[in-house]
Amino acid sequence: MRPLPAAELHLHIEGTLEPELIFALAARNGIDLPYADIGDLRRRYEFTDLQSFLNLYYNNMAVLQTEADFTEMTRSYLGRAAAAGVRHAEIMVDPQAHTSRGVPLENCINGVAAALASSETEFGISTELIAAFLRDEPVDDALAVLESLLAMEAPIIGIGLDSAEVGHPPRDFAALYERAHEAGLKCVAHAGEEGPADYIRQALDLLQVDRVDHGIRCMDDEALVERLAAEQTPLTVCPLSNVRLRAVDTLAVHPLPRMLERGLNVSINSDDPAYFGGYLDDNVARLLETFDLSTTQLVRLAENSVRAAFISNERRRELLAEIQQWQSEHAPAAESPT
Ligand code: ADE
Ligand code: ZN
Protein backbone atom coordinates (compact mmCIF):
# COMPACT_ATOMS: atom_id res chain seq x y z
CA MET A 1 0.00 0.00 0.00
CA ARG A 2 1.34 3.42 -0.99
CA PRO A 3 2.13 5.43 2.16
CA LEU A 4 -0.29 8.13 3.17
CA PRO A 5 1.05 11.53 1.98
CA ALA A 6 1.46 13.91 4.93
CA ALA A 7 3.47 16.74 6.45
CA GLU A 8 5.85 15.91 9.28
CA LEU A 9 5.78 18.83 11.73
CA HIS A 10 7.53 17.42 14.79
CA LEU A 11 10.93 15.99 13.99
CA HIS A 12 14.28 16.59 15.71
CA ILE A 13 16.97 16.16 13.08
CA GLU A 14 19.45 14.95 15.71
CA GLY A 15 16.91 12.28 16.60
CA THR A 16 17.30 10.80 13.12
CA LEU A 17 20.94 9.79 13.71
CA GLU A 18 20.86 6.04 13.18
CA PRO A 19 23.42 3.88 15.04
CA GLU A 20 25.20 3.03 11.76
CA LEU A 21 25.69 6.73 10.97
CA ILE A 22 26.80 7.44 14.56
CA PHE A 23 29.57 4.86 14.14
CA ALA A 24 30.51 6.08 10.65
CA LEU A 25 30.76 9.72 11.76
CA ALA A 26 32.70 8.75 14.90
CA ALA A 27 35.25 6.91 12.76
CA ARG A 28 35.52 9.85 10.34
CA ASN A 29 35.98 12.38 13.14
CA GLY A 30 38.27 10.26 15.33
CA ILE A 31 35.78 10.17 18.20
CA ASP A 32 35.86 7.35 20.74
CA LEU A 33 32.33 6.14 21.42
CA PRO A 34 31.56 4.60 24.82
CA TYR A 35 29.86 1.61 23.11
CA ALA A 36 31.46 -1.71 22.11
CA ASP A 37 29.59 -1.85 18.79
CA ILE A 38 26.30 -0.97 17.08
CA GLY A 39 24.49 -3.78 18.90
CA ASP A 40 25.71 -2.47 22.25
CA LEU A 41 24.41 1.01 21.36
CA ARG A 42 21.03 -0.33 20.20
CA ARG A 43 20.61 -2.28 23.44
CA ARG A 44 20.72 1.05 25.31
CA TYR A 45 17.57 2.27 23.54
CA GLU A 46 15.42 1.33 26.53
CA PHE A 47 14.12 4.48 28.14
CA THR A 48 12.38 5.03 31.46
CA ASP A 49 11.42 8.66 30.84
CA LEU A 50 12.31 11.72 28.75
CA GLN A 51 15.54 12.42 30.67
CA SER A 52 16.91 8.91 30.18
CA PHE A 53 16.51 9.39 26.43
CA LEU A 54 17.93 12.93 26.43
CA ASN A 55 21.14 11.69 28.11
CA LEU A 56 21.84 9.29 25.24
CA TYR A 57 20.57 11.72 22.57
CA TYR A 58 22.96 14.49 23.68
CA ASN A 59 25.91 12.08 24.14
CA ASN A 60 25.52 10.74 20.60
CA MET A 61 25.66 14.26 19.15
CA ALA A 62 29.40 14.26 19.89
CA VAL A 63 29.90 12.70 16.44
CA LEU A 64 28.44 15.79 14.70
CA GLN A 65 31.37 18.10 14.03
CA THR A 66 31.59 19.44 10.48
CA GLU A 67 29.07 21.06 8.19
CA ALA A 68 29.22 17.89 6.06
CA ASP A 69 28.19 15.77 9.07
CA PHE A 70 25.02 17.82 9.52
CA THR A 71 24.30 17.64 5.79
CA GLU A 72 24.73 13.87 5.71
CA MET A 73 22.46 13.33 8.72
CA THR A 74 19.75 15.52 7.14
CA ARG A 75 19.97 13.88 3.69
CA SER A 76 19.71 10.51 5.30
CA TYR A 77 16.48 11.55 7.08
CA LEU A 78 15.02 13.00 3.87
CA GLY A 79 15.61 9.75 1.98
CA ARG A 80 13.87 7.72 4.66
CA ALA A 81 11.08 10.30 5.06
CA ALA A 82 10.31 10.21 1.33
CA ALA A 83 9.75 6.44 1.59
CA ALA A 84 7.46 7.09 4.59
CA GLY A 85 5.15 9.36 2.55
CA VAL A 86 6.42 12.66 3.98
CA ARG A 87 5.73 15.38 1.38
CA HIS A 88 6.62 18.39 3.53
CA ALA A 89 8.81 18.46 6.65
CA GLU A 90 9.35 21.15 9.28
CA ILE A 91 12.57 20.10 10.90
CA MET A 92 13.79 21.13 14.34
CA VAL A 93 17.47 21.50 15.14
CA ASP A 94 18.93 22.14 18.61
CA PRO A 95 21.71 24.75 18.01
CA GLN A 96 22.67 25.01 21.70
CA ALA A 97 23.39 21.28 21.86
CA HIS A 98 26.19 21.93 19.36
CA THR A 99 27.51 25.38 20.28
CA SER A 100 27.85 24.22 23.91
CA ARG A 101 30.26 21.52 22.64
CA GLY A 102 32.33 24.07 20.75
CA VAL A 103 30.83 23.34 17.33
CA PRO A 104 30.32 26.61 15.42
CA LEU A 105 26.69 27.63 14.89
CA GLU A 106 27.47 27.89 11.14
CA ASN A 107 28.44 24.21 10.90
CA CYS A 108 25.11 23.18 12.33
CA ILE A 109 22.82 25.64 10.51
CA ASN A 110 24.60 25.71 7.15
CA GLY A 111 25.03 21.94 7.18
CA VAL A 112 21.33 21.22 7.74
CA ALA A 113 20.31 24.06 5.40
CA ALA A 114 22.46 22.67 2.56
CA ALA A 115 20.50 19.42 2.60
CA LEU A 116 17.16 21.25 2.86
CA ALA A 117 18.02 23.49 -0.11
CA SER A 118 17.83 20.49 -2.47
CA SER A 119 15.12 18.51 -0.65
CA GLU A 120 12.47 19.23 -3.30
CA THR A 121 14.59 18.29 -6.29
CA GLU A 122 16.32 15.30 -4.66
CA PHE A 123 13.54 13.86 -2.52
CA GLY A 124 10.34 15.62 -3.61
CA ILE A 125 9.91 16.98 -0.07
CA SER A 126 9.41 20.67 0.67
CA THR A 127 11.08 21.66 3.92
CA GLU A 128 11.40 24.39 6.54
CA LEU A 129 13.80 24.71 9.47
CA ILE A 130 12.87 25.49 13.09
CA ALA A 131 15.52 26.42 15.67
CA ALA A 132 14.58 24.77 18.97
CA PHE A 133 15.86 26.09 22.29
CA LEU A 134 16.74 24.01 25.32
CA ARG A 135 14.38 24.78 28.21
CA ASP A 136 16.79 23.30 30.77
CA GLU A 137 19.29 26.04 29.88
CA PRO A 138 18.86 29.72 30.86
CA VAL A 139 16.61 31.93 28.75
CA ASP A 140 19.49 34.40 28.30
CA ASP A 141 21.48 31.70 26.56
CA ALA A 142 18.56 31.07 24.21
CA LEU A 143 18.19 34.79 23.53
CA ALA A 144 21.89 35.11 22.66
CA VAL A 145 21.69 32.19 20.21
CA LEU A 146 18.50 33.62 18.65
CA GLU A 147 20.29 36.95 18.11
CA SER A 148 23.18 35.10 16.42
CA LEU A 149 20.72 33.24 14.18
CA LEU A 150 19.04 36.51 13.21
CA ALA A 151 22.41 38.21 12.63
CA MET A 152 23.59 35.43 10.30
CA GLU A 153 20.20 35.43 8.53
CA ALA A 154 19.77 31.75 9.26
CA PRO A 155 17.06 30.26 7.00
CA ILE A 156 14.67 29.49 9.87
CA ILE A 157 10.91 29.83 9.71
CA GLY A 158 10.38 29.65 13.44
CA ILE A 159 11.49 28.69 16.91
CA GLY A 160 10.67 25.79 19.22
CA LEU A 161 11.26 24.81 22.85
CA ASP A 162 12.39 21.33 23.83
CA SER A 163 14.50 19.20 26.21
CA ALA A 164 13.62 18.36 29.84
CA GLU A 165 10.10 19.66 30.39
CA VAL A 166 9.11 19.20 34.04
CA GLY A 167 10.39 22.10 36.17
CA HIS A 168 11.04 24.24 33.07
CA PRO A 169 7.70 25.91 32.36
CA PRO A 170 6.98 27.91 29.21
CA ARG A 171 6.60 31.10 31.27
CA ASP A 172 10.39 31.17 31.78
CA PHE A 173 10.80 31.72 28.03
CA ALA A 174 8.32 34.57 27.49
CA ALA A 175 11.12 37.01 26.56
CA LEU A 176 12.51 34.60 23.93
CA TYR A 177 9.10 34.21 22.29
CA GLU A 178 8.46 37.94 22.41
CA ARG A 179 11.69 38.48 20.45
CA ALA A 180 10.82 35.71 17.99
CA HIS A 181 7.35 37.17 17.32
CA GLU A 182 8.92 40.60 16.84
CA ALA A 183 11.33 39.08 14.29
CA GLY A 184 8.36 37.64 12.36
CA LEU A 185 9.13 34.02 13.23
CA LYS A 186 6.54 31.28 13.72
CA CYS A 187 6.41 29.88 17.23
CA VAL A 188 5.95 26.33 18.48
CA ALA A 189 6.82 24.74 21.83
CA HIS A 190 6.82 21.30 23.40
CA ALA A 191 4.18 21.30 26.11
CA GLY A 192 2.21 18.60 27.85
CA GLU A 193 4.52 15.71 26.90
CA GLU A 194 5.57 14.85 30.49
CA GLY A 195 4.63 18.23 31.91
CA PRO A 196 1.14 19.18 33.11
CA ALA A 197 -1.77 20.58 31.11
CA ASP A 198 -1.00 23.98 32.62
CA TYR A 199 2.22 24.13 30.57
CA ILE A 200 0.01 23.93 27.44
CA ARG A 201 -2.02 26.89 28.71
CA GLN A 202 1.21 28.82 29.35
CA ALA A 203 2.49 28.05 25.84
CA LEU A 204 -0.78 29.42 24.42
CA ASP A 205 -1.20 32.44 26.66
CA LEU A 206 2.36 33.51 27.46
CA LEU A 207 4.28 32.33 24.37
CA GLN A 208 1.43 32.77 21.85
CA VAL A 209 2.44 29.62 20.00
CA ASP A 210 1.06 28.70 16.57
CA ARG A 211 1.26 24.96 17.40
CA VAL A 212 1.84 22.80 20.45
CA ASP A 213 4.31 19.91 20.19
CA HIS A 214 2.86 16.78 21.86
CA GLY A 215 0.07 18.36 23.95
CA ILE A 216 -1.27 14.95 24.99
CA ARG A 217 -1.64 15.95 28.65
CA CYS A 218 -4.43 18.35 27.64
CA MET A 219 -6.67 15.32 28.13
CA ASP A 220 -6.31 15.83 31.92
CA ASP A 221 -8.07 19.21 31.66
CA GLU A 222 -11.60 19.25 30.22
CA ALA A 223 -11.79 23.05 29.85
CA LEU A 224 -8.47 23.05 27.98
CA VAL A 225 -9.69 20.32 25.60
CA GLU A 226 -12.74 22.44 24.84
CA ARG A 227 -10.58 25.48 24.19
CA LEU A 228 -8.10 23.61 21.95
CA ALA A 229 -10.99 22.12 19.98
CA ALA A 230 -12.72 25.51 19.62
CA GLU A 231 -9.51 27.27 18.56
CA GLN A 232 -8.33 24.30 16.46
CA THR A 233 -4.81 24.69 17.83
CA PRO A 234 -2.59 22.15 16.05
CA LEU A 235 -1.12 19.46 18.33
CA THR A 236 1.78 17.49 16.83
CA VAL A 237 1.36 14.09 18.44
CA CYS A 238 4.15 11.46 18.42
CA PRO A 239 2.65 8.08 19.38
CA LEU A 240 5.74 5.82 19.32
CA SER A 241 7.77 8.46 21.15
CA ASN A 242 5.14 8.62 23.90
CA VAL A 243 5.29 4.85 24.34
CA ARG A 244 9.10 4.64 24.32
CA LEU A 245 9.49 7.55 26.78
CA ARG A 246 6.73 6.12 28.99
CA ALA A 247 4.52 9.20 28.64
CA VAL A 248 1.82 6.55 28.12
CA ASP A 249 1.90 2.96 29.39
CA THR A 250 1.18 1.29 26.04
CA LEU A 251 0.06 2.33 22.57
CA ALA A 252 -3.34 0.76 23.30
CA VAL A 253 -4.04 3.43 25.93
CA HIS A 254 -2.62 6.32 23.88
CA PRO A 255 -5.10 9.24 23.84
CA LEU A 256 -4.90 9.82 20.06
CA PRO A 257 -8.27 8.20 19.22
CA ARG A 258 -9.94 10.13 22.06
CA MET A 259 -8.28 13.34 20.88
CA LEU A 260 -9.70 12.76 17.39
CA GLU A 261 -13.15 12.07 18.85
CA ARG A 262 -12.99 15.35 20.75
CA GLY A 263 -12.35 17.20 17.47
CA LEU A 264 -8.79 18.22 18.36
CA ASN A 265 -6.50 19.24 15.51
CA VAL A 266 -3.98 16.40 15.87
CA SER A 267 -1.36 15.12 13.44
CA ILE A 268 1.02 12.14 13.58
CA ASN A 269 4.76 12.71 13.80
CA SER A 270 7.90 10.71 14.53
CA ASP A 271 9.84 13.03 16.95
CA ASP A 272 13.18 11.12 17.14
CA PRO A 273 12.60 8.20 14.77
CA ALA A 274 16.07 6.62 15.07
CA TYR A 275 15.48 6.18 18.81
CA PHE A 276 11.80 5.36 19.07
CA GLY A 277 11.31 2.45 16.68
CA GLY A 278 10.18 4.17 13.57
CA TYR A 279 9.52 6.87 11.04
CA LEU A 280 6.17 8.39 10.11
CA ASP A 281 4.99 5.27 8.22
CA ASP A 282 5.92 3.06 11.20
CA ASN A 283 3.88 5.30 13.51
CA VAL A 284 0.89 5.00 11.15
CA ALA A 285 1.32 1.22 10.82
CA ARG A 286 1.49 0.68 14.59
CA LEU A 287 -1.59 2.87 15.09
CA LEU A 288 -3.48 0.82 12.50
CA GLU A 289 -2.45 -2.44 14.21
CA THR A 290 -3.61 -1.11 17.56
CA PHE A 291 -6.73 0.92 16.81
CA ASP A 292 -9.65 0.53 14.49
CA LEU A 293 -8.91 3.79 12.66
CA SER A 294 -11.03 4.39 9.57
CA THR A 295 -9.66 5.65 6.25
CA THR A 296 -11.56 8.85 6.97
CA GLN A 297 -9.75 9.28 10.30
CA LEU A 298 -6.35 8.61 8.70
CA VAL A 299 -7.11 11.15 6.01
CA ARG A 300 -8.20 13.64 8.68
CA LEU A 301 -4.84 13.21 10.45
CA ALA A 302 -2.91 13.82 7.22
CA GLU A 303 -5.08 16.82 6.29
CA ASN A 304 -4.54 18.25 9.76
CA SER A 305 -0.77 18.04 9.26
CA VAL A 306 -0.99 19.93 5.97
CA ARG A 307 -3.38 22.55 7.39
CA ALA A 308 -1.03 23.16 10.34
CA ALA A 309 2.09 23.48 8.18
CA PHE A 310 3.87 26.80 7.61
CA ILE A 311 3.45 26.70 3.82
CA SER A 312 1.89 28.77 1.06
CA ASN A 313 -1.76 28.27 0.24
CA GLU A 314 -0.70 26.95 -3.16
CA ARG A 315 1.48 24.23 -1.62
CA ARG A 316 -1.32 23.46 0.86
CA ARG A 317 -3.78 22.93 -2.00
CA GLU A 318 -1.31 20.65 -3.81
CA LEU A 319 -0.77 18.49 -0.74
CA LEU A 320 -4.47 18.32 0.14
CA ALA A 321 -5.15 17.17 -3.44
CA GLU A 322 -2.52 14.41 -3.03
CA ILE A 323 -4.25 13.23 0.13
CA GLN A 324 -7.62 13.22 -1.69
CA GLN A 325 -6.03 11.14 -4.46
CA TRP A 326 -4.67 8.67 -1.86
CA GLN A 327 -8.13 8.46 -0.30
CA SER A 328 -9.76 7.69 -3.63
CA GLU A 329 -7.24 4.85 -4.14
CA HIS A 330 -7.78 3.46 -0.64
CA ALA A 331 -11.47 3.98 -0.02
CA PRO A 332 -13.20 0.72 0.95
CA ALA A 333 -15.02 -0.97 -1.96
CA ALA A 334 -18.45 0.13 -0.61
CA GLU A 335 -17.35 3.76 -0.79
CA SER A 336 -15.84 3.57 -4.32
CA PRO A 337 -17.83 4.68 -7.31
CA THR A 338 -18.98 1.68 -9.41
N1 ADE B 1 14.39 16.69 22.20
C1 ADE B 1 14.38 15.70 21.32
N2 ADE B 1 13.28 14.96 21.46
C2 ADE B 1 12.56 15.49 22.47
C3 ADE B 1 11.33 15.20 23.09
N3 ADE B 1 10.57 14.16 22.72
N4 ADE B 1 10.92 15.99 24.09
C4 ADE B 1 11.64 17.01 24.48
N5 ADE B 1 12.81 17.35 23.94
C5 ADE B 1 13.26 16.60 22.92
ZN1 ZN C 1 9.97 16.48 20.25
Side-chain angles (χ1 to χ4, degrees), residues 10 12 50 53-54 57-58 94 162-164 190 193 214 241 245 271-272 276:
H10 183 160
H12 303 266
L50 173 57
F53 154 70
L54 291 171
Y57 168 79
Y58 292 127
D94 285 334
D162 62 3
S163 205
H190 284 52
E193 176 185 19
H214 293 295
S241 163
L245 300 189
D271 206 6
D272 301 282
F276 300 151

Side-chain angles (χ1 to χ4, degrees), residues 2-295:
R2 186 162 78 85
L4 174 64
E8 173 137 83
L9 306 177
H10 183 160
L11 183 281
H12 303 266
I13 198 63
E14 299 91 342
T16 70
L17 259 185
E18 291 285 349
E20 290 74 11
L21 187 55
I22 291 173
F23 272 79
L25 294 177
R28 190 156 95 192
N29 292 326
I31 286 164
D32 255 340
L33 288 172
Y35 320 119
D37 51 32
I38 289 177
D40 178 29
L41 172 55
R42 274 196 195 283
R43 281 189 290 278
R44 296 170 194 241
Y45 287 18
E46 287 286 339
F47 309 113
T48 51
D49 56 12
L50 173 57
Q51 189 62 57
S52 67
F53 154 70
L54 291 171
N55 295 341
L56 189 70
Y57 168 79
Y58 292 127
N59 282 343
N60 287 343
M61 288 183 202
V63 303
L64 294 165
Q65 295 286 333
T66 67
E67 193 173 313
D69 298 339
F70 286 90
T71 306
E72 191 170 340
M73 167 176 69
T74 307
R75 294 190 75 250
S76 152
Y77 162 70
L78 290 168
R80 180 62 185 84
V86 174
R87 304 287 299 111
H88 173 77
E90 294 180 0
I91 294 177
M92 278 180 272
V93 65
D94 285 334
Q96 291 161 290
H98 311 298
T99 53
S100 65
R101 302 182 287 113
V103 172
L105 187 60
E106 289 73 15
N107 289 17
C108 155
I109 297 297
N110 298 343
V112 174
L116 300 189
S118 59
S119 66
E120 289 222 58
T121 50
E122 274 192 77
F123 302 100
I125 301 178
S126 50
T127 49
E128 294 291 354
L129 184 59
I130 295 174
F133 293 91
L134 306 184
R135 66 199 312 156
D136 45 0
E137 296 294 333
V139 63
D140 286 346
D141 205 83
L143 272 164
V145 173
L146 177 56
E147 291 304 338
S148 302
L149 289 165
L150 294 171
M152 72 187 273
E153 297 185 12
I156 55 172
I157 196 167
I159 69 159
L161 189 66
D162 62 3
S163 205
E165 184 181 13
V166 175
H168 302 287
R171 77 162 71 83
D172 293 351
F173 290 85
L176 177 73
Y177 279 74
E178 197 179 320
R179 179 72 183 104
H181 281 295
E182 179 190 289
L185 293 168
K186 300 287 186 189
C187 290
V188 302
H190 284 52
E193 176 185 19
E194 279 190 344
D198 182 56
Y199 284 16
I200 302 172
R201 288 182 184 281
Q202 288 183 30
L204 298 172
D205 295 332
L206 306 179
L207 309 186
Q208 307 277 326
V209 294
D210 299 290
R211 296 195 297 246
V212 173
D213 289 323
H214 293 295
I216 57 172
R217 294 284 301 275
C218 73
M219 298 306 275
D220 299 339
D221 181 334
E222 176 58 26
L224 179 59
V225 169
E226 282 169 21
R227 173 180 175 183
L228 291 167
E231 295 176 3
Q232 284 296 289
T233 310
L235 308 176
T236 63
V237 174
C238 307
L240 289 181
S241 163
N242 296 150
V243 174
R244 296 296 282 266
L245 300 189
R246 314 295 300 270
V248 298
D249 287 336
T250 62
L251 193 55
V253 298
H254 194 284
L256 183 84
R258 281 177 285 131
M259 295 173 90
L260 271 174
E261 276 163 28
R262 296 301 310 272
L264 293 174
N265 184 352
V266 286
S267 59
I268 307 172
N269 302 271
S270 69
D271 206 6
D272 301 282
Y275 291 90
F276 300 151
Y279 289 76
L280 189 60
D281 50 344
D282 301 307
N283 273 269
V284 172
R286 291 286 310 282
L287 286 170
L288 286 174
E289 278 164 30
T290 309
F291 298 111
D292 194 21
L293 290 180
S294 65
T295 303

